[in-house]
C-alpha cells in the first residue's frame, strides 16, 4: 500500500479511494487543523473562497497540464534531483532518457496528430445535427475528467481512461478530413 493509503486507513477507519492533493498543491491555503477536528472541509472551502483568483490560476494551469502533449512533471528529468538521488543511492543513474528531445519529439508526433484530428472531429460532429448527441456524450465524458482533475492535480497518466474517447473523435476527424480532401460527398462515405 502507498503511504497515504495506510495513513487514510488509520485516520478515517477505512480505505479512501482518492488521494487528497488539494492541500499540498495550493500553497496559499496554509495550515489546516490537526487530524480529528471537524472543521477541515470548511477551512478548505473558505480558503478557496478567500482566494478565487489564485484558485482560478491553479485550475487553468492544471487544466492545461491535463492536455500536455509530452510528460513534463517527471522529477527524474531534473539533473539536480537525479544527482541528489544518486548521492543517496549510487544505483540510481545520473543520466536518463526522460526530458531528452527525442522523448519529447516521439510524444509530440504520436499524440499531436491524435489531438489535432480529435479537434477536427469535435468540430465536425458539432456542425452535423445528427451527430450532436454522440458528440455531447463524448465531449461531456472527456471534459468531466479534465475538469475533475484540474481542481486538484492533473497529470498525463490521468488522461488514460478517456483516451479511447479522444481516439473516437480523432477517427471521426480523420474520416471527415479524408472526405474533404478527396472531394467525395458525405453520403457516399461508409457510415459510422
Amino acid at each position: 500500500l502507498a503511504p497515504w493509503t495506510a495513513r487514510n486507513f488509520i485516520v478515517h477507519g477505512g480505505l479512501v479511494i482518492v488521494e487528497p492533493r488539494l492541500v499540498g498543491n495550493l500553497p496559499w491555503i496554509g495550515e489546516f487543523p490537526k487530524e480529528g477536528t471537524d472543521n477541515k472541509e470548511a477551512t478548505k472551502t473558505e480558503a478557496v473562497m478567500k482566494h478565487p483568483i489564485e484558485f482560478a490560476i491553479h485550475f487553468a494551469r492544471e487544466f492545461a497540464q491535463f492536455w500536455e502533449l509530452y510528460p513534463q512533471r517527471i522529477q527524474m528529468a531534473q539533473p539536480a534531483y537525479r544527482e541528489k538521488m544518486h548521492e543517496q543511492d549510487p544505483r540510481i543513474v545520473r543520466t536518463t532518457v526522460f526530458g531528452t528531445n527525442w522523448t519529447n519529439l516521439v510524444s509530440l508526433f504520436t499524440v499531436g496528430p491524435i489531438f489535432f484530428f480529435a479537434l477536427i472531429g469535435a468540430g465536425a460532429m458539432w456542425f452535423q445535427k445528427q451527430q450532436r448527441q454522440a458528440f455531447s456524450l463524448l465531449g461531456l465524458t472527456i471534459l468531466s475528467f479534465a475538469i475533475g482533475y484540474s481542481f486538484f492535480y492533473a497529470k498525463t497518466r490521468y488522461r488514460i481512461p478517456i483516451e479511447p474517447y479522444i481516439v473516437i473523435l480523432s477517427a471521426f476527424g480523420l474520416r471527415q478530413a479524408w472526405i474533404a480532401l478527396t472531394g467525395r460527398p458525405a453520403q457516399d462515405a461508409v457510415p459510422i
Side-chain angles (χ1 to χ4, degrees):
L1 289 175
W4 60 84
T5 307
R7 179 204 160 272
N8 286 341
F9 189 82
I10 293 168
V11 171
H12 300 291
L15 290 176
V16 178
I17 303 300
V18 178
E19 177 188 357
R21 292 193 178 211
L22 181 62
V23 178
N25 292 303
L26 299 178
W28 41 268
I29 286 182
E31 291 297 318
F32 288 105
K34 298 292 182 203
E35 302 294 341
T37 60
D38 297 333
N39 200 15
K40 278 194 334 192
E41 293 301 321
T43 307
K44 292 176 189 176
T45 307
E46 288 172 8
V48 171
M49 298 305 280
K50 285 181 185 177
H51 306 282
I53 294 171
E54 289 87 351
F55 182 73
I57 291 169
H58 166 79
F59 181 86
R61 188 180 318 118
E62 294 299 321
F63 188 80
Q65 195 75 33
F66 187 81
W67 298 107
E68 67 185 357
L69 295 178
Y70 51 87
Q72 296 176 358
R73 291 184 174 178
I74 300 174
Q75 285 188 334
M76 288 303 284
Q78 303 167 4
Y81 181 78
R82 283 195 313 268
E83 189 64 39
K84 182 177 119 181
M85 294 305 293
H86 181 74
E87 288 174 6
Q88 292 177 1
D89 187 354
R91 295 176 295 174
I92 296 175
V93 297
R94 289 183 175 164
T95 59
T96 180
V97 296
F98 295 114
T100 62
N101 290 334
W102 288 108
T103 308
N104 295 345
L105 283 175
V106 168
S107 295
L108 186 67
F109 286 124
T110 55
V111 177
I114 291 173
F115 281 3
F116 176 72
F117 285 113
L119 288 174
I120 292 173
M125 286 181 112
W126 178 256
F127 286 115
Q128 295 177 7
K129 287 186 180 182
Q130 68 272 20
Q131 298 292 338
R132 281 191 188 161
Q133 187 176 12
F135 173 67
S136 297
L137 180 64
L138 289 171
L140 288 175
T141 303
I142 292 168
L143 282 178
S144 68
F145 269 77
I147 290 170
Y149 280 115
S150 297
F151 280 112
F152 306 103
Y153 189 74
K155 281 188 166 186
T156 306
R157 67 180 182 189
Y158 299 150
R159 198 173 61 218
I160 291 172
I162 59 167
E163 289 285 340
Y165 306 118
I166 296 170
V167 170
I168 290 170
L169 283 176
S170 181
F172 190 78
L174 183 62
R175 175 184 178 263
Q176 293 304 111
W178 179 259
I179 290 170
L181 290 174
T182 60
R184 245 175 40 177
Q187 50 270 41
D188 292 344
V190 177
I192 293 181

